[in-house]
Amino acid sequence: MRLMPVLGAAAALVLANPALAQVKGPVSAASPGGTVSVEFGTDGDGRALYTVSRKGKPIIAPSRLGFLFTDVAKIDRRLEITGTETRDFDQTWNQPWGEWSSIRNRYRELKVHLRETTALARVFTVTFRLYDDGVGFRYEFPQQPNMAKTKIADELTEFAFAQDGTAWWKPAYLWNREEYLYDKTKLSSVSTAATPVTIKLADGTHVALHEAALIDFAGMNVTRTEGTTLRANLTPGAGRPKVEKTGAWNTPWRTLIIADDAPGIYMSHLMLNLNEPNKLGDMSWFKPGKFAGVWWNMIKGEWSWARGAKHGATNANVMRYIDFAAANGIPNVLVEGWNVGWDGDWFGNGWDMDFTKPTEDFDITMLSAYARKKGVRLVGHHETGGAVTHYDNQMDRSFAFAAKYGMMVVKTGYVTDAAQLERVDPDGTKYREWLEGQWMTNHFVRVAETAYKYRVAFDSHEPVKGTGLHRTYPNWVAREGMRGMEYNAWGGKNPPEHEANIVFTRMLEGPMDFTPGVLSLKGEKDSNILSTIAKQLALYVVIYSPVQMVADTPENYAKYPGPMKFIRDVPTDWDETRVLNGEVGDYVTIVRKQRGAEDWYLGAVGDEEARTVSFKLDFLNPGSKYVAEIYRDGDDADYRTDKRHAIVIEQRSVSAADSMTLRLAPGGGAAVRFRRVK
Ligand code: NOJ
Ligand code: CA
């Protein structure tokens, strides 16, 4: 154990800051390239404070740490630093699937050991991992006599931003869970927000506040206390403290991704790097790919999940969707409403759901054999209706059943209002839990482990927020956790800026099952989606998921053979990803290199304004020739008019030395396949 020397610049910052005038320590450390630094000390009352700076500029001003407990005195004042340790780490690891095949994990770690000077004499460590694009820190409590059992009432971690700025955030604790549009306000006007919160500070620096590796803990929301200071606000448990622990415990990582601009935020690997490596084992059985689905007609209200005249999951319909998938090289077909339990009001009422009992008009033996013969697999669907213990009780046999019928992926769902998830304890007592509560974070890990036993992957709708856990549990391949395409079926459609928002907010959590590709641009009752057709194609590249839906109906796709070619071609697994340009909520251009192949794909989306994006093609292999197959908005395309389907499909020979300019229509986008010429 050695005490860190105080850096010159850090010492100046401390002295300049009256709140740290009496700081003991301070200790500090910088990221491997010196970009991001942290200082840590205690003030005159023995409060632990930390700061974060980037390129010498303060990002987080002195901010407090600590905890409230339900049964003992809080940890907050009367702390002393008993020692520090630093360590350098630099390793590259491979993702079984993803946006990058290999990821470098390079950080400097600073551990600050603390002890209370009170009779309780509790001890803990705050561990910082400093990256050149941000920092993660967590509390680590060893097993100790005065903390045999820990009952957390709240976490007192503060994030006192050193400047005001613009924040993109969504409210926490409201009935519709995580399915709110991102709000754009001043940071100093945020109330209580779910994370990630993305902030563009006054000087242009972009910061995303979130958490990594949320396991066996309550999810962290943040509440603005005053000015530009946010404080942790842990999700409640039902009939119990927010977090309960026995023996030693850690928090998840509290994370700040920091970059010059919005693309820099997306390009960070901090979220994945702060998660533990794959705990499950071999993933070679999982093949990323697209899926069609007996789905959009239900979302539009034309078919039903329940049995009866409008039942969607009939043998005839499913066979037609399998034929469509096979004809278009789509390897999977989702079927919803295939099982008993949907009749009546299933919203928040999942007690009748049985994921081993198909309805009479869904012959699973015949259909899975029919699919297999055509090179297609069924995707299972487990809609719990929020009856979570009921699901826990049938989970093992449900995944066994899915595997028996050749399913590689199951989509799960938890449709009920916030704080209505039913937990039934062994003594029969019932509770209503929050999605982000400690009990639910553990439930999702149970799903991952159970599904893996049968080599099944899953895609959770109405999920706990993503915190990079797909590194540790790589069969948790996607989740929803934001307003997806389904909102375009209903009234109150997603606005044109929605996707340019979620790339820099929700997508920092990990893959999203957005369900793109509604080429008809029609929702329920023939209502118009606020998008051009080219934008629907762009979404396959812009919004990442290893399982990507081909969401519209076969009949609608038959009307658009030109654009359909892009959907057929675009893969869902990548060696490399680059964000070429973008501003939160305005536009973004992303290019990705197909995994194990030479082609690149580009997606660009804008908002309600027309705009032109220009970029270099220097991501292409120098010296190679490519044909750019371009799908762009027609010159008169506009999401507000009957020209929303206007698209130009053209080809051009290009190389890495070229540039490209694309015009995005209002509500528009562009998609390009760069096909390498052999
Ligand atoms: C909500 C999901 O997001 C949607 O995809 C699904 O069809 C319904 N729940 C029914 O499970
Ligand atoms: Ca905008």
Side-chain angles (χ1 to χ4, degrees), residues 66-82 113-125 140-152 249:
F67 287 93
L68 296 177
F69 304 100
T70 61
D71 55 345
V72 286
K74 64 179 177 172
I75 290 183
D76 169 16
R77 294 171 215 238
R78 302 198 195 96
L79 294 166
E80 63 179 11
I81 297 174
T82 57
H113 304 295
L114 294 136
R115 179 174 58 212
E116 282 181 303
T117 56
T118 65
L120 284 174
R122 289 169 293 192
V123 296
F124 64 100
T125 299
E140 298 167 353
F141 283 80
Q143 185 146 7
Q144 52 195 296
N146 285 329
M147 287 189 97
K149 284 210 185 304
T150 305
K151 297 178 178 174
I152 299 175
W249 58 279

mmCIF file of all heavy atoms in Angstrom, residues 66-82 113-125 140-152 249:
data_model
loop_
_atom_site.group_PDB
_atom_site.id
_atom_site.type_symbol
_atom_site.label_atom_id
_atom_site.label_comp_id
_atom_site.label_asym_id
_atom_site.label_seq_id
_atom_site.Cartn_x
_atom_site.Cartn_y
_atom_site.Cartn_z
ATOM 1 N N GLY A 66 -21.463 8.394 0.562
ATOM 2 C CA GLY A 66 -21.999 7.863 1.815
ATOM 3 C C GLY A 66 -23.282 7.078 1.627
ATOM 4 O O GLY A 66 -23.766 6.899 0.502
ATOM 5 N N PHE A 67 -23.809 6.602 2.747
ATOM 6 C CA PHE A 67 -25.033 5.786 2.747
ATOM 7 C C PHE A 67 -25.902 6.109 3.943
ATOM 8 O O PHE A 67 -25.398 6.402 5.028
ATOM 9 C CB PHE A 67 -24.681 4.289 2.839
ATOM 10 C CG PHE A 67 -24.104 3.753 1.579
ATOM 11 C CD1 PHE A 67 -22.729 3.727 1.391
ATOM 12 C CD2 PHE A 67 -24.929 3.292 0.568
ATOM 13 C CE1 PHE A 67 -22.191 3.253 0.216
ATOM 14 C CE2 PHE A 67 -24.399 2.825 -0.610
ATOM 15 C CZ PHE A 67 -23.024 2.797 -0.787
ATOM 16 N N LEU A 68 -27.212 5.973 3.732
ATOM 17 C CA LEU A 68 -28.168 5.910 4.834
ATOM 18 C C LEU A 68 -28.556 4.450 5.016
ATOM 19 O O LEU A 68 -28.697 3.721 4.031
ATOM 20 C CB LEU A 68 -29.436 6.693 4.489
ATOM 21 C CG LEU A 68 -29.336 8.196 4.283
ATOM 22 C CD1 LEU A 68 -30.708 8.738 3.873
ATOM 23 C CD2 LEU A 68 -28.860 8.876 5.561
ATOM 24 N N PHE A 69 -28.773 4.065 6.260
ATOM 25 C CA PHE A 69 -29.230 2.701 6.549
ATOM 26 C C PHE A 69 -30.571 2.771 7.279
ATOM 27 O O PHE A 69 -30.912 3.796 7.878
ATOM 28 C CB PHE A 69 -28.189 1.966 7.398
ATOM 29 C CG PHE A 69 -26.833 1.941 6.749
ATOM 30 C CD1 PHE A 69 -25.833 2.830 7.131
ATOM 31 C CD2 PHE A 69 -26.568 1.047 5.725
ATOM 32 C CE1 PHE A 69 -24.588 2.825 6.507
ATOM 33 C CE2 PHE A 69 -25.323 1.041 5.097
ATOM 34 C CZ PHE A 69 -24.330 1.930 5.490
ATOM 35 N N THR A 70 -31.312 1.679 7.255
ATOM 36 C CA THR A 70 -32.619 1.704 7.922
ATOM 37 C C THR A 70 -32.496 1.433 9.416
ATOM 38 O O THR A 70 -33.429 1.695 10.169
ATOM 39 C CB THR A 70 -33.578 0.660 7.330
ATOM 40 O OG1 THR A 70 -33.006 -0.629 7.513
ATOM 41 C CG2 THR A 70 -33.848 0.908 5.860
ATOM 42 N N ASP A 71 -31.364 0.879 9.851
ATOM 43 C CA ASP A 71 -31.294 0.416 11.235
ATOM 44 C C ASP A 71 -30.108 0.954 12.026
ATOM 45 O O ASP A 71 -30.070 0.799 13.240
ATOM 46 C CB ASP A 71 -31.269 -1.121 11.254
ATOM 47 C CG ASP A 71 -30.145 -1.680 10.408
ATOM 48 O OD1 ASP A 71 -29.556 -0.924 9.589
ATOM 49 O OD2 ASP A 71 -29.824 -2.870 10.550
ATOM 50 N N VAL A 72 -29.133 1.538 11.353
ATOM 51 C CA VAL A 72 -27.972 2.073 12.087
ATOM 52 C C VAL A 72 -27.619 3.448 11.534
ATOM 53 O O VAL A 72 -28.160 3.864 10.499
ATOM 54 C CB VAL A 72 -26.715 1.165 11.954
ATOM 55 C CG1 VAL A 72 -26.844 -0.089 12.780
ATOM 56 C CG2 VAL A 72 -26.417 0.860 10.503
ATOM 57 N N ALA A 73 -26.706 4.127 12.220
ATOM 58 C CA ALA A 73 -26.305 5.476 11.813
ATOM 59 C C ALA A 73 -25.742 5.459 10.395
ATOM 60 O O ALA A 73 -25.133 4.485 9.955
ATOM 61 C CB ALA A 73 -25.262 6.004 12.787
ATOM 62 N N LYS A 74 -25.950 6.559 9.715
ATOM 63 C CA LYS A 74 -25.463 6.681 8.339
ATOM 64 C C LYS A 74 -23.930 6.692 8.300
ATOM 65 O O LYS A 74 -23.273 6.947 9.313
ATOM 66 C CB LYS A 74 -26.017 7.950 7.722
ATOM 67 C CG LYS A 74 -25.555 9.246 8.385
ATOM 68 C CD LYS A 74 -26.146 10.441 7.661
ATOM 69 C CE LYS A 74 -25.749 11.742 8.360
ATOM 70 N NZ LYS A 74 -26.145 12.918 7.573
ATOM 71 N N ILE A 75 -23.405 6.454 7.127
ATOM 72 C CA ILE A 75 -21.972 6.658 6.874
ATOM 73 C C ILE A 75 -21.866 7.919 6.053
ATOM 74 O O ILE A 75 -22.419 7.989 4.947
ATOM 75 C CB ILE A 75 -21.353 5.471 6.103
ATOM 76 C CG1 ILE A 75 -21.282 4.246 7.001
ATOM 77 C CG2 ILE A 75 -19.973 5.844 5.570
ATOM 78 C CD1 ILE A 75 -20.621 3.039 6.358
ATOM 79 N N ASP A 76 -21.196 8.918 6.596
ATOM 80 C CA ASP A 76 -21.173 10.206 5.908
ATOM 81 C C ASP A 76 -20.011 11.051 6.459
ATOM 82 O O ASP A 76 -19.051 11.325 5.771
ATOM 83 C CB ASP A 76 -22.563 10.839 6.126
ATOM 84 C CG ASP A 76 -22.674 12.274 5.712
ATOM 85 O OD1 ASP A 76 -21.810 12.737 4.989
ATOM 86 O OD2 ASP A 76 -23.653 12.922 6.120
ATOM 87 N N ARG A 77 -20.069 11.429 7.755
ATOM 88 C CA ARG A 77 -18.996 12.226 8.365
ATOM 89 C C ARG A 77 -18.012 11.333 9.107
ATOM 90 O O ARG A 77 -18.193 10.131 9.193
ATOM 91 C CB ARG A 77 -19.582 13.188 9.386
ATOM 92 C CG ARG A 77 -20.462 14.234 8.794
ATOM 93 C CD ARG A 77 -21.149 14.964 9.923
ATOM 94 N NE ARG A 77 -22.474 15.330 9.520
ATOM 95 C CZ ARG A 77 -22.927 16.582 9.497
ATOM 96 N NH1 ARG A 77 -22.166 17.576 9.853
ATOM 97 N NH2 ARG A 77 -24.144 16.828 9.107
ATOM 98 N N ARG A 78 -16.994 11.969 9.650
ATOM 99 C CA ARG A 78 -16.008 11.333 10.526
ATOM 100 C C ARG A 78 -15.342 10.125 9.857
ATOM 101 O O ARG A 78 -15.305 9.026 10.383
ATOM 102 C CB ARG A 78 -16.646 10.910 11.854
ATOM 103 C CG ARG A 78 -17.273 12.112 12.560
ATOM 104 C CD ARG A 78 -17.528 11.866 14.023
ATOM 105 N NE ARG A 78 -18.428 12.891 14.532
ATOM 106 C CZ ARG A 78 -19.748 12.743 14.650
ATOM 107 N NH1 ARG A 78 -20.324 11.605 14.356
ATOM 108 N NH2 ARG A 78 -20.487 13.731 15.086
ATOM 109 N N LEU A 79 -14.860 10.401 8.647
ATOM 110 C CA LEU A 79 -14.120 9.367 7.921
ATOM 111 C C LEU A 79 -12.667 9.799 7.822
ATOM 112 O O LEU A 79 -12.371 10.996 7.732
ATOM 113 C CB LEU A 79 -14.697 9.203 6.513
ATOM 114 C CG LEU A 79 -16.120 8.660 6.450
ATOM 115 C CD1 LEU A 79 -16.707 8.865 5.058
ATOM 116 C CD2 LEU A 79 -16.143 7.169 6.819
ATOM 117 N N GLU A 80 -11.778 8.815 7.819
ATOM 118 C CA GLU A 80 -10.374 9.133 7.541
ATOM 119 C C GLU A 80 -9.823 8.162 6.511
ATOM 120 O O GLU A 80 -10.245 7.006 6.449
ATOM 121 C CB GLU A 80 -9.534 9.101 8.830
ATOM 122 C CG GLU A 80 -9.475 7.744 9.477
ATOM 123 C CD GLU A 80 -8.609 7.732 10.739
ATOM 124 O OE1 GLU A 80 -8.231 8.811 11.208
ATOM 125 O OE2 GLU A 80 -8.332 6.622 11.234
ATOM 126 N N ILE A 81 -8.915 8.706 5.711
ATOM 127 C CA ILE A 81 -8.269 7.872 4.692
ATOM 128 C C ILE A 81 -7.160 7.087 5.382
ATOM 129 O O ILE A 81 -6.309 7.672 6.044
ATOM 130 C CB ILE A 81 -7.691 8.742 3.558
ATOM 131 C CG1 ILE A 81 -8.821 9.492 2.853
ATOM 132 C CG2 ILE A 81 -6.899 7.896 2.574
ATOM 133 C CD1 ILE A 81 -8.350 10.499 1.814
ATOM 134 N N THR A 82 -7.205 5.769 5.240
ATOM 135 C CA THR A 82 -6.172 4.959 5.899
ATOM 136 C C THR A 82 -5.116 4.476 4.922
ATOM 137 O O THR A 82 -4.106 3.922 5.328
ATOM 138 C CB THR A 82 -6.802 3.752 6.601
ATOM 139 O OG1 THR A 82 -7.536 3.003 5.630
ATOM 140 C CG2 THR A 82 -7.732 4.185 7.725
ATOM 141 N N HIS A 113 -8.852 3.661 0.793
ATOM 142 C CA HIS A 113 -9.371 2.935 1.961
ATOM 143 C C HIS A 113 -9.770 3.939 3.032
ATOM 144 O O HIS A 113 -9.003 4.852 3.345
ATOM 145 C CB HIS A 113 -8.311 1.984 2.516
ATOM 146 C CG HIS A 113 -7.810 1.017 1.496
ATOM 147 N ND1 HIS A 113 -8.607 0.049 0.918
ATOM 148 C CD2 HIS A 113 -6.589 0.871 0.917
ATOM 149 C CE1 HIS A 113 -7.896 -0.655 0.054
ATOM 150 N NE2 HIS A 113 -6.663 -0.178 0.028
ATOM 151 N N LEU A 114 -10.952 3.743 3.588
ATOM 152 C CA LEU A 114 -11.482 4.692 4.580
ATOM 153 C C LEU A 114 -11.930 3.962 5.833
ATOM 154 O O LEU A 114 -12.322 2.788 5.779
ATOM 155 C CB LEU A 114 -12.687 5.441 3.978
ATOM 156 C CG LEU A 114 -12.306 6.346 2.807
ATOM 157 C CD1 LEU A 114 -13.298 6.195 1.683
ATOM 158 C CD2 LEU A 114 -12.209 7.788 3.251
ATOM 159 N N ARG A 115 -11.896 4.719 6.944
ATOM 160 C CA ARG A 115 -12.374 4.165 8.219
ATOM 161 C C ARG A 115 -13.101 5.273 8.972
ATOM 162 O O ARG A 115 -12.694 6.437 8.933
ATOM 163 C CB ARG A 115 -11.197 3.672 9.057
ATOM 164 C CG ARG A 115 -11.616 3.099 10.422
ATOM 165 C CD ARG A 115 -10.439 2.481 11.162
ATOM 166 N NE ARG A 115 -9.385 3.478 11.347
ATOM 167 C CZ ARG A 115 -8.084 3.178 11.375
ATOM 168 N NH1 ARG A 115 -7.663 1.935 11.247
ATOM 169 N NH2 ARG A 115 -7.186 4.125 11.546
ATOM 170 N N GLU A 116 -14.168 4.893 9.652
ATOM 171 C CA GLU A 116 -14.867 5.860 10.501
ATOM 172 C C GLU A 116 -14.069 6.048 11.787
ATOM 173 O O GLU A 116 -13.574 5.072 12.359
ATOM 174 C CB GLU A 116 -16.244 5.330 10.886
ATOM 175 C CG GLU A 116 -17.277 5.459 9.802
ATOM 176 C CD GLU A 116 -18.606 4.919 10.295
ATOM 177 O OE1 GLU A 116 -18.656 3.749 10.710
ATOM 178 O OE2 GLU A 116 -19.584 5.662 10.258
ATOM 179 N N THR A 117 -14.044 7.294 12.269
ATOM 180 C CA THR A 117 -13.352 7.554 13.529
ATOM 181 C C THR A 117 -14.324 7.428 14.712
ATOM 182 O O THR A 117 -14.008 7.800 15.830
ATOM 183 C CB THR A 117 -12.719 8.961 13.509
ATOM 184 O OG1 THR A 117 -13.759 9.904 13.237
ATOM 185 C CG2 THR A 117 -11.657 9.064 12.444
ATOM 186 N N THR A 118 -15.528 6.922 14.451
ATOM 187 C CA THR A 118 -16.544 6.731 15.496
ATOM 188 C C THR A 118 -16.402 5.336 16.099
ATOM 189 O O THR A 118 -15.595 4.525 15.623
ATOM 190 C CB THR A 118 -17.954 6.840 14.906
ATOM 191 O OG1 THR A 118 -18.120 5.752 13.997
ATOM 192 C CG2 THR A 118 -18.162 8.142 14.171
ATOM 193 N N ALA A 119 -17.256 5.055 17.121
ATOM 194 C CA ALA A 119 -17.190 3.742 17.780
ATOM 195 C C ALA A 119 -17.496 2.605 16.812
ATOM 196 O O ALA A 119 -16.975 1.497 16.949
ATOM 197 C CB ALA A 119 -18.171 3.711 18.950
ATOM 198 N N LEU A 120 -18.344 2.865 15.804
ATOM 199 C CA LEU A 120 -18.675 1.791 14.854
ATOM 200 C C LEU A 120 -17.458 1.371 14.027
ATOM 201 O O LEU A 120 -17.339 0.223 13.621
ATOM 202 C CB LEU A 120 -19.802 2.231 13.925
ATOM 203 C CG LEU A 120 -21.219 2.237 14.522
ATOM 204 C CD1 LEU A 120 -22.204 2.834 13.526
ATOM 205 C CD2 LEU A 120 -21.648 0.836 14.918
ATOM 206 N N ALA A 121 -16.571 2.329 13.768
ATOM 207 C CA ALA A 121 -15.302 2.068 13.067
ATOM 208 C C ALA A 121 -15.488 1.255 11.796
ATOM 209 O O ALA A 121 -14.698 0.359 11.494
ATOM 210 C CB ALA A 121 -14.303 1.393 14.023
ATOM 211 N N ARG A 122 -16.552 1.579 11.061
ATOM 212 C CA ARG A 122 -16.776 0.815 9.823
ATOM 213 C C ARG A 122 -15.709 1.174 8.784
ATOM 214 O O ARG A 122 -15.240 2.324 8.737
ATOM 215 C CB ARG A 122 -18.184 1.098 9.292
ATOM 216 C CG ARG A 122 -19.253 0.472 10.176
ATOM 217 C CD ARG A 122 -20.639 0.936 9.838
ATOM 218 N NE ARG A 122 -20.841 2.350 10.127
ATOM 219 C CZ ARG A 122 -22.036 2.960 10.128
ATOM 220 N NH1 ARG A 122 -23.142 2.266 9.863
ATOM 221 N NH2 ARG A 122 -22.130 4.243 10.391
ATOM 222 N N VAL A 123 -15.339 0.210 7.991
ATOM 223 C CA VAL A 123 -14.303 0.436 6.975
ATOM 224 C C VAL A 123 -14.861 0.108 5.591
ATOM 225 O O VAL A 123 -15.721 -0.758 5.457
ATOM 226 C CB VAL A 123 -13.033 -0.419 7.232
ATOM 227 C CG1 VAL A 123 -12.370 -0.018 8.537
ATOM 228 C CG2 VAL A 123 -13.344 -1.906 7.220
ATOM 229 N N PHE A 124 -14.380 0.831 4.612
ATOM 230 C CA PHE A 124 -14.740 0.528 3.215
ATOM 231 C C PHE A 124 -13.712 1.144 2.287
ATOM 232 O O PHE A 124 -12.852 1.923 2.713
ATOM 233 C CB PHE A 124 -16.163 1.007 2.878
ATOM 234 C CG PHE A 124 -16.371 2.505 2.933
ATOM 235 C CD1 PHE A 124 -16.374 3.267 1.768
ATOM 236 C CD2 PHE A 124 -16.592 3.147 4.136
ATOM 237 C CE1 PHE A 124 -16.585 4.647 1.806
ATOM 238 C CE2 PHE A 124 -16.793 4.528 4.192
ATOM 239 C CZ PHE A 124 -16.797 5.271 3.026
ATOM 240 N N THR A 125 -13.825 0.744 1.033
ATOM 241 C CA THR A 125 -12.903 1.226 0.010
ATOM 242 C C THR A 125 -13.721 1.844 -1.109
ATOM 243 O O THR A 125 -14.773 1.309 -1.463
ATOM 244 C CB THR A 125 -12.073 0.043 -0.537
ATOM 245 O OG1 THR A 125 -11.328 -0.498 0.558
ATOM 246 C CG2 THR A 125 -11.130 0.448 -1.651
ATOM 247 N N GLU A 140 -16.774 -0.599 -1.888
ATOM 248 C CA GLU A 140 -16.529 -2.012 -1.568
ATOM 249 C C GLU A 140 -16.446 -2.141 -0.047
ATOM 250 O O GLU A 140 -15.564 -1.549 0.580
ATOM 251 C CB GLU A 140 -15.211 -2.476 -2.214
ATOM 252 C CG GLU A 140 -15.258 -2.385 -3.730
ATOM 253 C CD GLU A 140 -13.914 -2.525 -4.426
ATOM 254 O OE1 GLU A 140 -12.867 -2.568 -3.737
ATOM 255 O OE2 GLU A 140 -13.906 -2.572 -5.663
ATOM 256 N N PHE A 141 -17.376 -2.862 0.524
ATOM 257 C CA PHE A 141 -17.410 -3.067 1.974
ATOM 258 C C PHE A 141 -16.978 -4.488 2.284
ATOM 259 O O PHE A 141 -17.653 -5.439 1.888
ATOM 260 C CB PHE A 141 -18.826 -2.833 2.526
ATOM 261 C CG PHE A 141 -19.186 -1.381 2.645
ATOM 262 C CD1 PHE A 141 -19.597 -0.657 1.533
ATOM 263 C CD2 PHE A 141 -19.093 -0.730 3.863
ATOM 264 C CE1 PHE A 141 -19.917 0.687 1.634
ATOM 265 C CE2 PHE A 141 -19.409 0.622 3.980
ATOM 266 C CZ PHE A 141 -19.812 1.335 2.866
ATOM 267 N N PRO A 142 -15.865 -4.662 3.009
ATOM 268 C CA PRO A 142 -15.474 -6.018 3.405
ATOM 269 C C PRO A 142 -16.384 -6.512 4.531
ATOM 270 O O PRO A 142 -17.085 -5.715 5.163
ATOM 271 C CB PRO A 142 -14.043 -5.844 3.908
ATOM 272 C CG PRO A 142 -13.959 -4.422 4.362
ATOM 273 C CD PRO A 142 -14.932 -3.641 3.518
ATOM 274 N N GLN A 143 -16.348 -7.789 4.744
ATOM 275 C CA GLN A 143 -17.068 -8.340 5.902
ATOM 276 C C GLN A 143 -16.472 -7.743 7.177
ATOM 277 O O GLN A 143 -15.261 -7.613 7.294
ATOM 278 C CB GLN A 143 -16.872 -9.857 5.905
ATOM 279 C CG GLN A 143 -17.650 -10.531 6.978
ATOM 280 C CD GLN A 143 -18.131 -11.901 6.525
ATOM 281 O OE1 GLN A 143 -17.757 -12.381 5.457
ATOM 282 N NE2 GLN A 143 -18.971 -12.519 7.322
ATOM 283 N N GLN A 144 -17.296 -7.320 8.134
ATOM 284 C CA GLN A 144 -16.781 -6.664 9.346
ATOM 285 C C GLN A 144 -17.817 -6.762 10.460
ATOM 286 O O GLN A 144 -19.016 -6.861 10.182
ATOM 287 C CB GLN A 144 -16.424 -5.206 9.062
ATOM 288 C CG GLN A 144 -17.550 -4.422 8.414
ATOM 289 C CD GLN A 144 -17.046 -3.107 7.825
ATOM 290 O OE1 GLN A 144 -16.585 -2.243 8.564
ATOM 291 N NE2 GLN A 144 -17.120 -2.972 6.519
ATOM 292 N N PRO A 145 -17.352 -6.719 11.711
ATOM 293 C CA PRO A 145 -18.245 -6.991 12.847
ATOM 294 C C PRO A 145 -19.455 -6.066 12.897
ATOM 295 O O PRO A 145 -20.563 -6.512 13.177
ATOM 296 C CB PRO A 145 -17.350 -6.762 14.073
ATOM 297 C CG PRO A 145 -15.952 -6.790 13.575
ATOM 298 C CD PRO A 145 -15.962 -6.490 12.120
ATOM 299 N N ASN A 146 -19.284 -4.800 12.597
ATOM 300 C CA ASN A 146 -20.414 -3.877 12.717
ATOM 301 C C ASN A 146 -21.270 -3.784 11.459
ATOM 302 O O ASN A 146 -22.109 -2.895 11.342
ATOM 303 C CB ASN A 146 -19.920 -2.494 13.138
ATOM 304 C CG ASN A 146 -19.544 -2.485 14.614
ATOM 305 O OD1 ASN A 146 -20.152 -3.220 15.397
ATOM 306 N ND2 ASN A 146 -18.543 -1.717 14.973
ATOM 307 N N MET A 147 -21.062 -4.704 10.535
ATOM 308 C CA MET A 147 -21.892 -4.716 9.321
ATOM 309 C C MET A 147 -22.176 -6.154 8.902
ATOM 310 O O MET A 147 -22.016 -6.510 7.732
ATOM 311 C CB MET A 147 -21.189 -3.989 8.173
ATOM 312 C CG MET A 147 -21.156 -2.494 8.332
ATOM 313 S SD MET A 147 -20.540 -1.702 6.833
ATOM 314 C CE MET A 147 -22.055 -1.249 6.015
ATOM 315 N N ALA A 148 -22.600 -6.982 9.832
ATOM 316 C CA ALA A 148 -22.871 -8.378 9.475
ATOM 317 C C ALA A 148 -24.003 -8.424 8.458
ATOM 318 O O ALA A 148 -23.961 -9.158 7.474
ATOM 319 C CB ALA A 148 -23.237 -9.167 10.724
ATOM 320 N N LYS A 149 -25.032 -7.613 8.693
ATOM 321 C CA LYS A 149 -26.138 -7.453 7.740
ATOM 322 C C LYS A 149 -26.266 -5.975 7.436
ATOM 323 O O LYS A 149 -26.186 -5.147 8.344
ATOM 324 C CB LYS A 149 -27.449 -7.948 8.340
ATOM 325 C CG LYS A 149 -27.578 -9.444 8.386
ATOM 326 C CD LYS A 149 -29.050 -9.834 8.271
ATOM 327 C CE LYS A 149 -29.283 -11.331 8.430
ATOM 328 N NZ LYS A 149 -28.540 -12.180 7.523
ATOM 329 N N THR A 150 -26.462 -5.648 6.175
ATOM 330 C CA THR A 150 -26.553 -4.245 5.781
ATOM 331 C C THR A 150 -27.934 -3.983 5.198
ATOM 332 O O THR A 150 -28.401 -4.744 4.345
ATOM 333 C CB THR A 150 -25.466 -3.928 4.728
ATOM 334 O OG1 THR A 150 -24.202 -4.295 5.278
ATOM 335 C CG2 THR A 150 -25.461 -2.462 4.357
ATOM 336 N N LYS A 151 -28.568 -2.933 5.676
ATOM 337 C CA LYS A 151 -29.898 -2.566 5.174
ATOM 338 C C LYS A 151 -29.830 -1.123 4.709
ATOM 339 O O LYS A 151 -29.830 -0.189 5.526
ATOM 340 C CB LYS A 151 -30.939 -2.725 6.280
ATOM 341 C CG LYS A 151 -31.067 -4.165 6.760
ATOM 342 C CD LYS A 151 -32.061 -4.280 7.882
ATOM 343 C CE LYS A 151 -32.188 -5.751 8.287
ATOM 344 N NZ LYS A 151 -33.046 -5.897 9.468
ATOM 345 N N ILE A 152 -29.770 -0.944 3.406
ATOM 346 C CA ILE A 152 -29.533 0.393 2.856
ATOM 347 C C ILE A 152 -30.859 1.120 2.654
ATOM 348 O O ILE A 152 -31.774 0.609 2.002
ATOM 349 C CB ILE A 152 -28.755 0.305 1.524
ATOM 350 C CG1 ILE A 152 -27.385 -0.356 1.779
ATOM 351 C CG2 ILE A 152 -28.586 1.680 0.888
ATOM 352 C CD1 ILE A 152 -26.579 -0.597 0.531
ATOM 353 N N TRP A 249 -20.010 -6.622 0.634
ATOM 354 C CA TRP A 249 -20.829 -6.184 -0.506
ATOM 355 C C TRP A 249 -20.176 -5.037 -1.248
ATOM 356 O O TRP A 249 -19.362 -4.293 -0.693
ATOM 357 C CB TRP A 249 -22.246 -5.798 -0.068
ATOM 358 C CG TRP A 249 -22.314 -4.703 0.962
ATOM 359 C CD1 TRP A 249 -22.135 -4.844 2.304
ATOM 360 C CD2 TRP A 249 -22.554 -3.305 0.733
ATOM 361 N NE1 TRP A 249 -22.264 -3.632 2.929
ATOM 362 C CE2 TRP A 249 -22.535 -2.666 1.994
ATOM 363 C CE3 TRP A 249 -22.830 -2.539 -0.406
ATOM 364 C CZ2 TRP A 249 -22.742 -1.292 2.148
ATOM 365 C CZ3 TRP A 249 -23.044 -1.174 -0.263
ATOM 366 C CH2 TRP A 249 -22.996 -0.566 1.012
#
